[in-house]
């Protein structure tokens, strides 16, 4: 269920940090799944792109 916040909830840095940690905690499974998708896409792209030869810099 959605949680509503007021400006007063973010009076200091500690409140903001608590809010961010709660968001991460509530969404950790989703974040992990997206992270795995990004890694997979990056690995597939790396395999498709031919390696460039770096000229000898003597």
């Amino acid at each position: 269920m959605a949680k509503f916040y007021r400006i007063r909830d973010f009076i200091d840095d500690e409140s903001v940090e608590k809010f961010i940690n709660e968001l991460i905690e509530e969404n950790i499974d989703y974040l992990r799944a997206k992270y795995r998708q990004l890694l997979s896409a990056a690995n597939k792209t790396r395999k498709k792109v031919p390696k460039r030869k770096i000229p000898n810099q003597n």
Side-chain angles (χ1 to χ4, degrees):
M1 184 168 187
K3 184 175 180 180
F4 295 98
Y5 295 91
R6 294 182 297 266
I7 295 297
R8 289 188 304 256
D9 293 337
F10 305 104
I11 299 279
D12 54 23
D13 289 345
E14 187 177 317
S15 300
V16 173
E17 186 175 346
K18 180 182 176 192
F19 169 73
I20 291 170
N21 287 336
E22 286 175 1
L23 278 178
I24 292 170
E25 187 176 307
E26 291 170 3
N27 296 296
I28 195 69
D29 292 331
Y30 173 80
L31 294 170
R32 283 185 178 140
K34 287 297 174 185
Y35 179 73
R36 283 192 298 271
Q37 287 177 352
L38 286 171
L39 285 179
S40 177
N43 286 331
K44 287 178 184 176
T45 301
R46 190 176 342 162
K47 289 177 183 176
K48 289 181 181 178
V49 175
K51 291 184 180 180
R52 288 181 20 191
K53 292 185 179 182
I54 301 174
N56 194 357
Q57 300 202 2
N58 288 335

